[in-house]
Amino acid sequence: MRLFLILIPIFSLSAVFSAFASDTDDVAGRVIANVAGTSYNLPMLDSKISVNIEGDMATVEVTQSFINEAHVPVEAEYLFPLNQLAAVYSMDMLIGDEVIKAKIREKAVAEAEFEKAAQDGKAAALLTQHRPNMFTQRIANLVPGLPITVTLRYVQMVPKIDGQHELVIPLIVGPRYESAAVQLPDEDSEEVPMTANSWTISDVPAYPQVVGLDLPDTFTSERVALDLTLTGGVSISDFGSDTHQLAVQSTEDGLSAKFAKGKVLDNRDLVIRFTLGGEALEAASLSHTDERGGFVSLMIEPPAVPDAATITPRELVFVLDTSGSMRGQPMEASKRFMDAALRGMRPTDYFRIIPFANHTQNFSSVSKQAIARNIRSARAYVDQLSTGGGTEIDNAIRTAFSTAQPENTMKIVVFLSDGYIGGEAQVLRTIRQQIGKSRIYAFGVGTSVNRYLLDAMADEGRGYARYVGVDEDAYEVAETLAADLKSPLLTDISIDWGDLDVTDVTPSRLPDLFAGNSLRIYARHSGTGAAEVTLKGLVQGRQAAMPVKLTLTDNAENAALPLIWARNRIASLTRQIAVGEQPEAADKEITQLGLEFSLQTQNTSFVAVSEQTVNTSGHQATLANVPLPMVSGVSKEAYPQPFAGSSSPEPQAIIGFLLIAAMTLLGFRRRVR
């Protein structure tokens, strides 16, 4: 009651919120809440990404600096992405002169240590994984004038896609649509049922305030810096990015790159592509041995033969996302893609079109042959499509497999979406149950799409995923990709390991290979010295094989390989859980791997706790989210209610900020969760 009475004069003074950046501050992301003429800073964020690429392996360091200029301590919470392939193996926290190396713990233990530190007034940092590409960083007792810096380190292989190596560094988490059919947890629970059985997965976290949506637009754009080096060991060419302007310089061993403007706004993913010359990586193998045993990696590329698409009739099932998040540029790029794909079909092909949002539609109830009049009708149908509603992907996938395909064709489901959903597991389970001999090609449309989901869909469908960025070149890219709906060159891949004793091969389900792509396979092994394995598969239905000679080392070369193997093994186990294959055993093994290899997983978390007590104010810290910018090119309809559809704060948002500001003003003691 006392709080309510105090808030009355605040409302009567017509409190408003504004956000602005100080020209003199190096740390960006400042958002200031003004209440009754008094200003209170929400947490600020400054990020630096350091990348070292050697051949096709990348080591990345992400440094996040948080500053609190309010009058009382706060607990900062920051929602951010990492690459879904990232093996996060280290976290440090710096506060003042104290450097704390984070420890890997089981998730519940880490959370308990963090909460205890928060209650004791100590600085602490807790990293939580919600999805392989979605994390939150919590900072306890971020006190005024004492910055806290957290540094994460991870390694990953850089995949080869369409003839070039492609490194994706996600910079922002897009919003996630949760189906109304999902059973919501109790208010105090952090888990939701995944299926009718007892297995559970982590819920998608609440989305933080969005600048330009529920906060005004005056938000500083300098939040992320880049420092990249690339040493190929062979010639490097075609290095660049279509998503960001880079300042590139040649070095003695390769090249270096930074953002051309120094820092950028974290509202789109950074995508870097480059070509490594020579034959060094075409049949590359890596090995490493330490006290944990031996680890080996093989890279497979398909043979140079004509594309089987020239002889194989296809049924192309286009599943087109028309939900609210696709409004504007994403939908226009999707229509451009569809127009080019329809025009590029051959008369021997068949096709269906399934637009979906809350409900699915159909261009026709059965497949149409790709003759001129049907294509004209289909192009007109796509052109009149509009956007709106939620993203019920699972229903659309079921509809795609609901009809029998024409005889003697290969069914290819072409999926166009930003992937902004929280129920990834159910979608993957549906695909595993219904895919049969079909293929799925996933095309992500947007500047910060859910690559974890779309890549996983393509893997389950033994196809491939490609991405269309929403920028001035999006239409050209869409047309290029649509014209290249190729068929796999190498299918039914297997490995004869010969006399080599291997276990825990990953990926457990080997995908098909397409022209210009490569596949890395990882395994644990015992023994050293020379070995020979044989790669097998089908090329246009004919048996093919290639022997590969290995030299298994007993030294510490390729020290990152065990981490990358473990991360890929965890990815396979996570997929097992999603599709319901022995989920209890898979979950237990994920925890064991996280602890053994010191890796962040859905079951293990890094936690760092300072020795010193920094919060001596007598006030418990108040929760304050680090605000995010809107994802570039994404409609306001993509964001959760009540904030969608207006650039000014909704009443609920205003009340929430008033509560934070009032608690800051009054030194409110109760910790807000």
Side-chain angles (χ1 to χ4, degrees):
M1 182 67 179
R2 179 181 174 221
L3 178 61
F4 175 75
L5 292 174
I6 293 172
L7 284 176
I8 291 176
I10 297 177
F11 278 104
S12 67
L13 290 172
S14 302
V16 296
F17 290 90
S18 62
F20 63 90
S22 170
D23 294 333
T24 60
D25 289 321
D26 292 332
V27 177
R30 170 172 295 188
V31 176
I32 299 178
N34 290 314
V35 179
T38 304
S39 297
Y40 302 96
N41 291 270
L42 298 181
M44 298 184 289
L45 171 71
D46 184 62
S47 296
K48 180 180 179 181
I49 301 172
S50 299
V51 184
N52 180 34
I53 306 173
E54 296 183 2
D56 63 344
M57 183 180 293
T59 302
V60 183
E61 186 174 276
V62 180
T63 303
Q64 303 164 342
S65 298
F66 301 87
I67 283 185
N68 172 21
E69 292 187 352
H71 298 312
V72 297
V74 299
E75 178 184 313
E77 185 165 309
Y78 175 47
L79 177 68
F80 70 101
L82 293 175
N83 191 290
Q84 68 271 20
L85 303 175
V88 183
Y89 66 89
S90 172
M91 184 176 98
D92 296 337
M93 180 177 74
L94 171 66
I95 178 168
D97 296 329
E98 184 182 5
V99 179
I100 303 98
K101 186 168 183 61
K103 298 177 181 178
I104 196 73
R105 298 279 195 251
E106 289 193 43
K107 182 179 178 182
V109 175
E111 290 174 344
E113 290 185 13
F114 178 85
E115 297 293 346
K116 177 67 165 55
Q119 293 292 332
D120 292 345
K122 295 182 177 182
L126 175 68
L127 182 65
T128 301
Q129 176 181 314
H130 305 282
R131 297 290 186 272
N133 61 342
M134 182 190 295
F135 299 78
T136 53
Q137 184 69 258
R138 289 171 63 189
I139 306 295
N141 292 307
L142 182 62
V143 299
L146 187 59
I148 292 179
T149 298
V150 177
T151 301
L152 306 175
R153 298 177 185 88
Y154 69 83
V155 292
Q156 71 163 94
M157 302 304 293
V158 184
K160 187 176 182 182
I161 298 174
D162 293 339
Q164 284 192 299
H165 287 84
E166 180 179 279
L167 176 64
V168 179
I169 300 177
L171 296 183
I172 188 169
V173 175
R176 297 294 189 264
Y177 169 80
E178 289 282 11
S179 171
V182 173
Q183 181 181 348
L184 296 178
D186 293 335
E187 188 173 305
D188 296 331
S189 172
E190 292 187 358
E191 295 182 328
V192 304
M194 186 180 77
T195 65
N197 63 25
S198 62
W199 197 252
T200 59
I201 60 170
S202 171
D203 193 13
V204 173
Y207 206 79
Q209 297 85 26
V210 179
V211 175
L213 189 65
D214 47 46
L215 290 176
D217 294 331
T218 50
F219 187 71
T220 183
S221 62
E222 294 82 19
R223 284 168 44 116
V224 183
L226 174 69
D227 185 6
L228 180 146
T229 60
L230 169 59
T231 55
V234 293
S235 62
I236 303 168
S237 60
D238 302 322
F239 179 90
S241 172
D242 291 332
T243 61
H244 292 78
Q245 291 183 344
L246 300 178
V248 182
Q249 290 186 332
S250 297
T251 64
E252 184 176 338
D253 299 324
L255 56 83
S256 65
K258 299 179 183 296
F259 289 128
K261 296 182 180 180
K263 290 184 179 181
V264 299
L265 179 63
D266 49 333
N267 66 342
R268 63 173 62 215
D269 294 343
L270 170 63
V271 181
I272 293 172
R273 296 185 180 90
F274 57 92
T275 302
L276 297 178
E279 306 295 320
L281 293 172
E282 288 189 2
S285 65
L286 303 172
S287 67
H288 173 88
T289 302
D290 57 24
E291 67 277 3
R292 296 166 296 192
F295 302 85
V296 64
S297 168
L298 293 175
M299 188 172 75
I300 305 174
E301 293 193 346
V305 297
D307 191 337
T310 59
I311 60 172
T312 305
R314 305 165 299 176
E315 182 199 24
L316 294 167
V317 182
F318 297 100
V319 183
L320 179 60
D321 186 350
T322 60
S323 64
S325 63
M326 296 290 290
R327 173 164 293 183
Q329 292 176 309
M331 191 62 199
E332 292 305 312
S334 293
K335 288 183 176 182
R336 188 72 168 260
F337 177 101
M338 285 295 303
D339 193 68
L342 290 168
R343 287 186 285 108
M345 288 190 299
R346 301 182 295 273
T348 54
D349 290 335
Y350 292 80
F351 71 96
R352 294 172 61 201
I353 302 174
I354 305 172
F356 75 95
N358 290 104
H359 306 284
T360 58
Q361 305 175 48
N362 274 292
F363 167 65
S364 62
S365 58
V366 296
S367 287
K368 295 280 191 178
Q369 191 172 357
I371 57 177
R373 70 171 180 272
N374 290 338
I375 291 175
R376 283 195 301 270
S377 297
R379 291 173 65 191
Y381 175 79
V382 170
D383 187 60
Q384 57 81 40
L385 291 174
S386 59
T387 57
T391 314
E392 297 288 351
I393 293 180
D394 191 58
N395 291 342
I397 293 295
R398 293 178 184 276
T399 302
F401 292 108
S402 63
T403 58
Q405 67 193 77
E407 193 173 351
N408 298 321
T409 63
M410 172 185 284
K411 180 191 284 286
I412 299 174
V413 177
V414 182
F415 190 87
L416 290 91
S417 176
D418 52 25
Y420 284 165
I421 66 163
E424 294 99 335
Q426 184 57 53
V427 172
L428 299 180
R429 177 171 292 192
T430 299
I431 293 173
R432 176 70 66 92
Q433 293 169 344
Q434 302 197 16
I435 188 66
K437 295 183 178 181
S438 304
R439 302 294 192 269
I440 290 182
Y441 298 170
F443 290 85
V445 184
T447 56
S448 185
V449 299
N450 187 356
R451 289 174 182 257
Y452 160 59
L453 172 63
L454 298 176
D455 281 0
M457 289 176 64
D459 288 345
E460 283 295 323
R462 292 171 296 170
Y464 61 87
R466 296 292 183 270
Y467 297 91
V468 181
V470 180
D471 52 32
E472 63 274 11
D473 298 324
Y475 299 153
E476 181 180 342
V477 172
E479 285 193 342
T480 300
L481 293 178
D484 196 24
L485 292 174
K486 52 196 173 186
S487 294
L489 295 184
L490 185 64
T491 66
D492 300 280
I493 300 172
S494 64
I495 302 179
D496 182 351
W497 294 96
D499 296 330
L500 185 61
D501 183 17
V502 300
T503 60
D504 299 322
V505 178
T506 180
S508 55
R509 301 173 74 245
L510 301 182
D512 295 343
L513 269 178
F514 296 79
N517 291 11
S518 64
L519 167 67
R520 274 208 176 269
I521 299 172
Y522 305 88
R524 302 187 85 157
H525 73 88
S526 59
T528 58
E532 182 173 295
V533 302
T534 304
L535 309 178
K536 298 181 178 180
L538 296 179
V539 176
Q540 296 183 1
R542 294 172 293 174
Q543 295 285 345
M546 181 176 73
V548 177
K549 295 185 181 299
L550 305 177
T551 301
L552 304 175
T553 63
D554 57 359
N555 55 38
E557 291 181 358
N558 304 310
L561 186 57
L563 298 175
I564 294 173
W565 168 82
R567 184 65 190 83
N568 280 272
R569 175 64 179 164
I570 289 167
S572 292
L573 294 166
T574 303
R575 188 75 57 79
Q576 277 186 229
I577 294 173
V579 300
E581 281 186 6
Q582 299 181 313
E584 290 83 2
D587 188 65
K588 183 178 180 180
E589 187 176 346
I590 288 174
T591 302
Q592 292 171 341
L593 289 169
L595 297 174
E596 179 184 357
F597 290 87
S598 187
L599 289 176
Q600 178 77 29
T601 72
Q602 59 262 48
N603 296 344
T604 55
S605 290
F606 279 107
V607 60
V609 177
S610 68
E611 292 292 334
Q612 58 181 315
T613 300
V614 297
N615 181 6
T616 58
S617 67
H619 303 296
Q620 203 69 34
T622 298
L623 180 65
N625 285 319
V626 176
L628 300 180
M630 287 183 66
V631 178
S632 176
V634 171
S635 165
K636 296 172 183 177
E637 290 189 14
Y639 290 88
Q641 295 291 341
F643 305 123
S646 174
S647 60
S648 60
E650 296 283 345
Q652 297 92 327
I654 294 176
I655 293 172
F657 281 117
L658 284 171
L659 286 172
I660 291 175
M663 286 183 285
T664 304
L665 176 65
L666 301 170
F668 192 54
R669 292 175 180 270
R670 184 173 64 85
R671 198 164 179 224
V672 178
R673 298 303 313 153

